[in-house]
Amino acid sequence: MKVVKSRSDLEDVLAARASGQAVVGGILGIEGAHALEGDLTNLDTLFDAGHRVFGLQHFFDNELGASLHGKANTGLTEFGRDVVAQLAEMPVVIDLAHSSPLVARDVIAMTDVPLIVSHGGLHGFCAVKRNFPDDLMQEIAATGGVIGMGYWADVTCGEITPAGVAKMIKAAVDTVGEDHVSLGSDYDGSVETAFDTSELAALTSGLLSEGLTEAQIRKVMGENMVRVFRQQLTQ
């Protein structure tokens, strides 16, 4: 395992894997900026510890603004705007998964960087609150960002088999474009899924059955997210 903190780290991992070495690259992130404890200087502490993906909210509202699952249903707070402004100047990736739609729209309006939704689903495929509306997903894609498609029942409306997840990925490609969709499994140890990482070939097969080309599948299975990290991480 090699923790990726820079673009050169990323290139080293990709080169090693291409040469047949058994190495896994991992990028540290926070899921919800509660760890900042309302103190902007803690951004530097987390960055220095190696974190490069910053999710703004998780399952409840925090000092930065409203969660998708919270009570406020508002946008960024003034502190949240300060945090986002600083993150936009840092070699990191901002993650909108679990943020409220208003927070997401505020972040889009005040930044000029590619944004991601690391794990979620497509509302047009599964019309649940957890999945941002398709027009908002298109706005996120327009930043040069990427939407990670999850494998669990709540975001797929029960379609958790490789074939079912492939259907949602195909719908996402049709909605936001082949350059803006990635895998977003949410393998966190608590989400129930129908297949694991060792069985990803079954998902590849499902995507082929949905009519995606090999080039499109390569994008979904890594190239799109690698592009964002290459752009955002410094040497």
Side-chain angles (χ1 to χ4, degrees), residues 158-170:
E159 297 275 2
I160 63 172
T161 64
V165 175
K167 288 179 184 178
M168 183 168 70
I169 290 174
K170 173 60 163 62

Side-chain angles (χ1 to χ4, degrees), residues 76-232:
L76 289 169
T77 63
E78 286 305 309
F79 177 67
R81 289 181 176 276
D82 291 342
V83 171
V84 170
Q86 184 159 330
L87 287 173
E89 298 298 321
M90 297 170 67
V92 301
V93 174
I94 299 173
D95 183 7
L96 298 176
H98 293 289
S99 293
S100 73
L102 288 176
V103 164
R105 294 186 191 280
D106 283 348
V107 175
I108 292 168
M110 66 177 293
T111 61
D112 187 24
V113 295
L115 305 168
I116 69 169
V117 176
S118 59
H119 56 296
L122 187 74
H123 195 274
F125 181 87
C126 180
V128 294
K129 184 179 180 181
R130 178 67 176 80
N131 297 335
F132 281 158
D134 288 3
D135 68 319
L136 179 51
M137 289 296 203
Q138 290 167 338
E139 290 184 40
I140 294 167
T143 70
V146 174
I147 316 299
M149 295 291 109
Y151 304 169
W152 74 102
D154 289 349
V155 296
T156 66
C157 285
E159 297 275 2
I160 63 172
T161 64
V165 175
K167 288 179 184 178
M168 183 168 70
I169 290 174
K170 173 60 163 62
V173 168
D174 290 342
T175 301
V176 303
E178 64 186 56
D179 295 324
H180 306 287
V181 182
S182 75
L183 305 185
S185 62
D186 202 24
Y187 285 141
D188 65 0
S190 65
V191 172
E192 181 179 353
T193 60
F195 58 100
D196 63 29
T197 300
S198 72
E199 299 168 305
L200 278 180
L203 182 54
T204 303
S205 178
L207 293 172
L208 288 168
S209 296
E210 285 297 320
L212 269 68
T213 66
E214 291 187 13
Q216 290 174 318
I217 293 170
R218 284 196 298 271
K219 289 180 179 184
V220 170
M221 287 203 153
E223 288 180 355
N224 288 336
M225 193 64 80
V226 166
R227 182 194 74 244
V228 171
F229 284 118
R230 275 190 172 130
Q231 178 174 337
Q232 287 303 103

Side-chain angles (χ1 to χ4, degrees), residues 5-23:
K5 301 179 182 179
S6 65
R7 190 182 305 143
S8 60
D9 288 343
L10 177 61
E11 300 298 350
D12 287 346
V13 168
L14 294 174
R17 291 180 63 84
S19 69
Q21 296 182 45
V23 59

